[in-house]
Amino acid sequence: MTEQVPINPSDIEKLYEYGESLNATKDKSKNVKDYEGIIKAARGSVKAKQLAAQLIPKFFTFFPSLAAQAFEAYLDLCEEEELGIRVQAIRGLPLLCKDRPEHVPKIVNILGQLLTADENVERDAVNKALMSLLRQDTKASLTALFKLIEGTIAHESIREQVLSFIRDKVFPIKAELLKPQEEMERHITDLVKQSLQDVTGPEFKMFFDFLRTLSLFGESAPPERAQELTEIIQEQADLTAEFNVSNGDHIDRLIQCLYMAIPVFKRGASNSKFVNYLNKHILPIVHKVILHFPEEHKLHFLKNLAESSPYTAPQDSRQLLPVVVTLLKRYMPRRKTWEETEFTYIECLLFAFHHLANKTPNATNSLCGYKIVTGQPSDRLGEDFSDSYKEFCERLTTVEDLVRVTMKKSNQGLVDHDKAMATAKTEEDNANNRTKKQNMQSGVRACNNILTMTQPLHLKSPSFIGDDKITLSWKAVAKPTGPSTTVAARKRPASTNVSSNAASKRGRGEDGVSSRFVNDTRKGVYRGGRSGVSGWGRGGYGKSDGGIGNQFAKRALNGLFRGGRDGARGRGHSGRGMGRNYQ
């Protein structure tokens, strides 16, 4: 515990005299002795320190030759044992930069590290001081804040608190701070991109969601801005890395990044790098991925494939189609079987097949035995693919039969669930019945989609669906309609498979992000309507702090941090000493 210096009334009186003398003098820089006396008082009694905390920043700008000495004394006050002195000193930190903007980065660095304070009143003072500096010099303050969260520079606890401050205090008032708008939005974009070199999944989502709110990347922005967003996601997905089927963290990262990129693809950004990576590294061995990972991961991988297919270029579509057809044959049995049929898998693959084939229809001649004439040599009309056509149609017919049987059972099950809900005795029973009913309704919608997509494929020269006629079954609507046995294309609420484990799946919301995704982002669990996805940690795939791969479950965004103070010196109250390495 710091030894308390007794209060000497004469010392306090001198401090008042120093202050009055400086106030009265026009050329304050000549009163060097007065300011030196104030600095010296910072090592005096509690009362003297409180007065020094007020006077040092007030006259700091007039004595550049004493700046280092005053700064050092003032930092001691910021780390004092007495809470009142610390708070007073923290409140005065912005004044050190009032006419000396070159000090802004250093003061922001200090305040960023003080965000780890235990006392609410102290943290509140730090927050207000930081906001004052952000309004005073937004560019320099943002740059200094982001340096506290970069790579190995930052201490973990400080990093977390700074990220929380950026998320909760800076992002919400971006319209006020980022002026001139275009210049400052570009500046903060560059800062964010630099920070993304070492982030967790939730941190990446937080930053990416923020970038999408900037006018720089708004709906009216040119296509190259959408492409810039896609490149940011591509870098996080690490599409240059070798693919390892046993590396669950890499697959999770790839799935999540592709999922986040789909809305950007809709705005005209190219998905070619993602598609080429899938085609080169994953699709040829996708059966291993599907067998190796939990069913929910399989489903989300195929959903991503389906949702990105409408935005795939013709040349990429031609490369993808053979593997999509191979997967269709894997999940569409040629003969009726007692094995469980994964109808949502089939829905995903048929949707992808239609959209890819619509871009390059004659590629299906050799794959499915169709007779589509485009006038190009790739039509291959002189070759006999009748066996492929016969086999493909048999699989289509078998799936249609299985779908109709399943729909009949599901519709009867819906009636039974209505009866069960009417007789349920507890709210828990009601909730369970509602969940089962919703799963069955979703399954029926998936089956309807399958029938809509299989029917035209029986023709020798089919027309492929390349518009928005089909709404995938996991897409939510505000007011879902009741079950139907007719084939219809309509908006569909969140869906799961019609298989026995359908109740365990979670769909995506209407906006592509489930409420769980949003809620868990702050908890450090990176999902997005996808439970069970392990996510990625900082420092590379599966290499998070402590060597634990699932960093999402370990780090919360409501307290993130890396501190810039390492060293021995600091206040010695209950382990409060922070040391100094202010930059």
Side-chain angles (χ1 to χ4, degrees):
M1 206 168 175
T2 305
E3 184 179 351
Q4 296 294 329
V5 179
I7 297 177
N8 188 332
S10 63
D11 290 341
I12 303 301
E13 187 63 31
K14 284 182 181 179
L15 267 176
Y16 280 116
E17 290 175 2
Y18 295 149
E20 290 171 1
S21 175
L22 285 166
N23 278 326
T25 304
K26 283 190 176 181
D27 188 359
K28 296 177 177 28
S29 61
K30 293 181 178 180
N31 293 40
V32 175
K33 294 294 182 182
D34 291 339
Y35 197 63
E36 285 178 338
I38 293 172
I39 295 172
K40 184 178 179 181
R43 291 183 287 274
S45 65
V46 170
K47 180 64 175 177
K49 290 175 180 178
Q50 289 174 336
L51 283 172
Q54 298 176 45
L55 295 174
I56 288 176
K58 184 175 181 179
F59 303 108
F60 179 77
T61 188
F62 301 107
F63 301 97
S65 63
L66 297 175
Q69 188 179 342
F71 200 78
E72 184 71 11
Y74 204 73
L75 292 186
D76 285 336
L77 298 177
C78 291
E79 297 181 339
E80 261 296 327
E81 177 184 341
E82 183 69 32
L83 176 62
I85 297 174
R86 296 201 306 273
V87 171
Q88 179 66 50
I90 289 167
R91 288 171 178 167
L93 280 171
L95 295 176
L96 300 179
C97 312
K98 187 175 181 181
D99 298 305
R100 305 292 295 274
E102 67 272 18
H103 292 313
V104 169
K106 185 179 291 187
I107 300 301
V108 170
N109 181 285
I110 294 167
L111 287 168
Q113 295 173 57
L114 290 173
L115 283 167
T116 55
D118 296 328
E119 302 292 340
N120 290 335
V121 66
E122 189 174 0
R123 285 198 305 273
D124 183 62
V126 173
N127 283 328
K128 288 179 178 177
L130 278 171
M131 294 308 300
S132 175
L133 287 172
L134 280 162
R135 291 183 170 97
Q136 180 178 320
D137 190 337
T138 303
K139 193 170 188 177
S141 297
L142 284 175
T143 302
L145 273 177
F146 273 85
K147 279 186 179 295
L148 285 167
I149 62 175
E150 285 181 12
T152 57
I153 297 174
H155 183 280
E156 198 61 30
S157 62
I158 297 176
R159 180 179 188 276
E160 291 177 355
Q161 293 300 330
V162 173
L163 279 170
S164 291
F165 178 83
I166 291 172
R167 182 198 64 213
D168 298 334
K169 303 294 184 181
V170 178
F171 287 173
I173 60 169
K174 65 180 187 298
E176 174 190 345
L177 294 177
L178 302 182
K179 295 178 181 178
Q181 187 180 56
E182 185 174 352
E183 175 189 340
M184 288 305 299
E185 285 192 352
R186 173 49 62 188
H187 179 66
I188 198 169
T189 297
D190 292 341
L191 293 175
V192 167
K193 289 167 76 172
Q194 180 68 25
S195 302
L196 294 180
Q197 295 179 12
D198 185 17
V199 291
T200 65
E203 292 165 9
F204 176 65
K205 182 182 184 302
M206 178 191 77
F207 281 127
F208 187 76
D209 287 349
F210 169 72
L211 291 180
R212 290 184 62 189
T213 68
L214 300 177
S215 61
L216 192 69
F217 301 105
E219 294 298 326
S220 59
E224 55 265 26
R225 299 283 171 74
Q227 188 59 39
E228 183 178 353
L229 288 177
T230 301
E231 289 168 2
I232 290 172
I233 301 174
Q234 287 170 177
E235 186 172 348
Q236 277 299 304
D238 200 3
L239 300 182
T240 59
E242 286 296 321
F243 180 74
N244 182 353
V245 70
S246 64
N247 189 337
D249 190 80
H250 191 185
I251 291 182
D252 291 338
R253 181 187 289 235
L254 184 64
I255 288 173
Q256 297 290 358
C257 286
L258 179 54
Y259 171 63
M260 292 174 69
I262 290 170
V264 190
F265 296 156
K266 291 180 181 179
R267 295 175 50 190
S270 171
N271 69 353
S272 185
K273 286 190 177 181
F274 271 107
V275 166
N276 289 335
Y277 190 87
L278 293 175
N279 191 54
K280 180 180 178 181
H281 295 283
I282 298 178
L283 293 180
I285 57 170
V286 72
H287 61 285
K288 294 181 182 178
V289 179
I290 289 175
L291 290 174
H292 183 77
F293 281 86
E295 186 172 350
E296 187 162 323
H297 288 199
K298 311 174 198 176
L299 181 60
H300 290 301
F301 177 81
L302 294 176
K303 282 183 177 181
N304 277 338
L305 177 65
E307 291 188 49
S308 60
S309 62
Y311 317 109
T312 303
Q315 62 271 25
D316 295 324
S317 298
R318 184 175 290 274
Q319 294 178 18
L320 280 173
L321 265 173
V323 182
V324 171
V325 171
T326 299
L327 289 172
L328 272 172
K329 290 179 179 179
R330 182 179 184 87
Y331 288 104
M332 295 196 312
R334 193 168 185 178
R335 302 283 184 269
K336 289 184 180 179
T337 175
W338 292 106
E339 294 181 5
E340 185 178 58
T341 304
E342 300 288 357
F343 291 110
T344 309
Y345 291 3
I346 296 172
E347 178 194 15
C348 292
L349 291 166
L350 281 172
F351 186 89
F353 176 79
H354 270 279
H355 280 275
L356 297 175
N358 184 64
K359 306 279 181 61
T360 175
N362 65 353
T364 62
N365 290 351
S366 59
L367 295 172
C368 308
Y370 291 135
K371 297 288 185 180
I372 295 174
V373 181
T374 66
Q376 300 297 320
S378 53
D379 289 346
R380 301 178 65 177
L381 296 177
E383 300 178 53
D384 183 12
F385 298 110
S386 56
D387 288 344
S388 297
Y389 175 73
K390 179 182 178 183
E391 177 195 350
F392 197 63
C393 287
E394 286 177 355
R395 293 182 186 277
L396 293 171
T397 300
T398 299
V399 165
E400 289 167 345
D401 291 342
L402 291 170
V403 162
R404 293 187 179 99
V405 170
T406 299
M407 290 176 70
K408 183 177 180 180
K409 292 179 179 178
S410 295
N411 284 321
Q412 181 58 49
L414 289 170
V415 174
D416 295 340
H417 278 301
D418 287 336
K419 293 177 181 178
M421 290 177 70
T423 59
K425 296 182 179 180
T426 66
E427 182 57 35
E428 184 180 356
D429 291 340
N430 260 325
N432 290 335
N433 286 324
R434 279 195 298 269
T435 299
K436 292 177 181 178
K437 182 176 180 178
Q438 289 169 358
N439 290 333
M440 285 195 170
Q441 289 174 329
S442 299
V444 170
R445 285 188 289 274
C447 289
N448 273 326
N449 278 345
I450 291 172
L451 292 178
T452 300
M453 291 187 285
T454 56
Q455 286 178 355
L457 298 182
H458 288 279
L459 300 175
K460 271 284 188 179
S461 299
S463 295
F464 301 110
I465 300 170
D467 53 22
D468 57 358
K469 179 181 179 182
I470 299 292
T471 303
L472 291 161
S473 63
W474 56 87
K475 295 295 185 180
V477 291
K479 295 181 179 180
T481 58
S484 170
T485 56
T486 60
V487 176
R490 59 183 182 275
K491 288 187 180 270
R492 323 225 187 262
S495 134
T496 57
N497 246 348
V498 185
S499 56
S500 60
N501 58 0
S504 68
K505 297 192 173 62
R506 289 180 173 83
R508 305 175 185 181
E510 186 175 14
D511 61 352
V513 182
S514 75
S515 60
R516 180 176 178 187
F517 190 112
V518 175
N519 293 338
D520 283 355
T521 298
R522 291 197 173 194
K523 297 178 185 177
V525 182
Y526 197 23
R527 295 298 183 260
R530 313 173 180 206
S531 61
V533 181
S534 66
W536 68 83
R538 286 173 44 232
Y541 301 133
K543 290 191 287 183
S544 56
D545 298 326
I548 298 175
N550 187 0
Q551 184 65 15
F552 290 175
K554 288 200 64 183
R555 175 160 36 241
L557 277 179
N558 31 3
L560 331 118
F561 234 72
R562 289 163 168 174
R565 297 190 186 186
D566 45 5
R569 186 174 177 184
R571 54 177 130 98
H573 175 61
S574 301
R576 217 188 280 274
M578 303 179 71
R580 299 215 187 122
N581 186 17
Y582 300 118
Q583 300 169 356

